[in-house]
Amino acid sequence: MENNIQMQDTHGRKHSYLRISITENCNLRCTYCMPAEGIALTPKAHLMTADEIITIAQTFVNLGVNKIRLTGGEPLVRKDAADIIQRLGKLGVELTLTTNGILVHDFIDTFKEAGITTLNVSIDSLQKDKFNQITRRNYFDKFQENMELLDANGFRLKLNVVVMKGFNDEEIIDFVELTKNRDIEIRFIEFMPFDGNQWKKDKLVSYAEILTQLNDKYAAENVERLTDKPHDTAKNHKITSYKGSFSVISSVTNPFCSTCNRIRLTADGKLKNCLFSNSETDLLQSLRAGESIEPLIFKNIKSKMSMRGGMDDDAKFQNPDLFSKNRSMIKIGG
């Protein structure tokens, strides 16, 4: 009970969900995630080793974390990813990961051994040419093949779609149609500002705009609002009679900050208490010095602001002088 209180911030939010980025590398170059010119990768010596990842994760589990998600970059490009996944699977938490799906065929048995049952997979277009354009790579066929493989092996899929006006907003209906006969969840994500991704509000497709398009297509009475789970980032819906569901993560227009229970660990061992926060706490340096990291964790969580790292109104959120001080998405961890 004492640890549970210590993992609580000054706004009464208890933190039980840890997202760990295990690499800054990726085999795609998605435009909203990585600057066009690429990024300067952190030297390997400054990144967490597998042992350090497990040690830090165990500390958080001891403090009340019951869910861990692995992110990147693309987590599966890391050479010891299978070892990390298997070891985290023994910590007694709900374990999952976010992936672009290109390498999952090599990890089916690893996922099963670690107890992973659900995967979040990023896919921003169902059209091959657009997929290749946004990822700056040509892996569409492999992606499709691997989605069938995951489905055949009984994994539940959540497809993450970053919606951008004038690029893939006309595919919203196509994505929802994937839920007609398959128990999958489509997660539409509002385009968010990060360093180097050329964010502009006129590229944003809002939660309201997405619902308007779906209400026009299916009739409002057939677009059901589902009950959200506690701490859910997404506003959940389904089309009546469809097997699967869809949701919208509205971090820009309808942030879910009041119920946030998430904290993030970057690949270089920095703790971020909010995706949009400029501030970070270096856990890795203290760990390597043989110091306890618990006081740093508690201090970091206590400093968490009430909304979006302090960008608590629309003007601040659109101010590039504020959001450009944050890392690019690939260096935070998706």
Side-chain angles (χ1 to χ4, degrees):
M1 180 63 69
E2 181 181 357
N3 286 339
N4 199 21
I5 293 173
Q6 289 175 314
M7 289 279 281
Q8 180 172 304
D9 67 16
T10 58
H11 306 283
R13 298 171 295 199
K14 296 178 181 178
H15 295 77
S16 58
Y17 180 6
L18 175 65
R19 301 172 69 104
I20 305 176
S21 173
I22 62 172
T23 181
E24 296 173 353
N25 286 305
C26 189
N27 47 355
L28 300 182
R29 293 292 182 270
C30 296
T31 56
Y32 56 83
C33 181
M34 182 182 290
E37 65 276 12
I39 60 169
L41 294 175
T42 302
K44 185 176 180 181
H46 297 169
L47 301 177
M48 295 183 293
T49 65
D51 288 345
E52 289 165 341
I53 290 170
I54 303 305
T55 298
I56 295 175
Q58 181 67 71
T59 301
F60 275 101
V61 172
N62 294 344
L63 296 176
V65 161
N66 56 29
K67 180 176 180 179
I68 292 177
R69 175 180 300 280
L70 294 184
T71 68
E74 166 52 45
L76 301 182
V77 303
R78 181 164 168 153
K79 291 181 179 179
D80 55 357
D83 175 58
I84 293 169
I85 292 168
Q86 289 170 339
R87 293 169 69 182
L88 288 174
K90 297 175 182 177
L91 296 185
V93 299
E94 178 187 348
L95 180 64
T96 185
L97 75 154
T98 297
T99 174
N100 59 36
I102 307 303
L103 298 175
V104 295
H105 55 281
D106 290 329
F107 291 86
I108 298 298
D109 291 340
T110 299
F111 295 157
K112 291 179 179 178
E113 290 168 9
I116 293 175
T117 59
T118 301
L119 293 171
N120 285 39
V121 186
S122 301
I123 169 71
D124 300 308
S125 179
L126 298 173
Q127 300 174 22
K128 187 173 183 177
D129 57 341
K130 283 190 178 181
F131 177 95
N132 294 341
Q133 180 184 343
I134 198 165
T135 63
R136 304 186 182 111
R137 293 294 184 269
N138 185 19
Y139 287 127
F140 185 78
D141 293 338
K142 173 54 70 174
F143 176 89
Q144 296 281 61
E145 178 184 321
N146 279 346
M147 292 309 96
E148 296 300 325
L149 180 64
L150 290 171
D151 196 35
N153 278 273
F155 292 97
R156 186 163 191 275
L157 299 179
K158 297 181 180 182
L159 302 188
N160 290 346
V161 185
V162 176
V163 186
M164 289 166 282
K165 192 164 291 184
F167 182 78
N168 60 354
D169 52 326
E170 78 281 5
E171 292 188 66
I172 289 172
I173 302 300
D174 295 336
F175 275 106
V176 170
E177 281 298 302
L178 294 178
T179 71
K180 186 172 185 177
N181 299 309
R182 297 177 65 184
D183 184 20
I184 62 175
E185 179 184 337
I186 306 299
R187 292 158 55 89
F188 296 114
I189 302 171
E190 290 183 344
F191 184 38
M192 296 178 282
F194 295 99
D195 183 36
N197 73 347
Q198 283 81 52
W199 186 87
K200 292 182 180 178
K201 192 171 184 181
D202 59 10
K203 294 182 181 179
L204 173 70
V205 182
S206 70
Y207 172 43
E209 290 173 309
I210 291 170
L211 278 188
T212 295
Q213 189 175 145
L214 294 172
N215 287 337
D216 289 346
K217 169 66 177 179
Y218 298 102
E221 62 270 20
N222 294 320
V223 181
E224 300 179 23
R225 180 70 166 94
L226 303 178
T227 301
D228 301 329
K229 296 178 182 178
H231 310 297
D232 215 335
T233 61
K235 295 173 172 60
N236 297 279
H237 303 258
K238 75 184 302 292
I239 304 302
T240 301
S241 80
Y242 279 25
K243 194 171 183 179
S245 62
F246 71 92
S247 60
V248 183
I249 299 176
S250 53
S251 300
V252 179
T253 63
N254 288 273
F256 45 85
C257 303
S258 63
T259 60
C260 181
N261 67 336
R262 290 155 175 76
I263 39 183
R264 294 170 179 267
L265 185 64
T266 64
D268 57 348
K270 308 292 198 307
L271 182 63
K272 291 177 71 75
N273 57 32
C274 176
L275 177 62
F276 298 106
S277 175
N278 295 330
S279 62
E280 303 173 348
T281 300
D282 192 340
L283 301 185
L284 184 58
Q285 183 178 11
S286 294
L287 181 71
R288 289 180 175 177
E291 301 167 358
S292 172
I293 62 173
E294 288 189 9
L296 296 175
I297 293 171
F298 301 145
K299 184 177 181 180
N300 179 281
I301 291 175
K302 291 294 184 184
S303 71
K304 186 168 183 173
M305 296 188 179
S306 63
M307 181 182 290
R308 292 186 306 210
M311 293 187 288
D312 51 8
D313 61 41
D314 195 52
K316 290 179 183 177
F317 201 66
Q318 293 189 60
N319 184 352
D321 290 336
L322 294 179
F323 66 70
S324 65
K325 292 177 183 177
N326 201 359
R327 302 191 190 204
S328 59
M329 188 64 178
I330 195 168
K331 296 199 75 171
I332 298 173

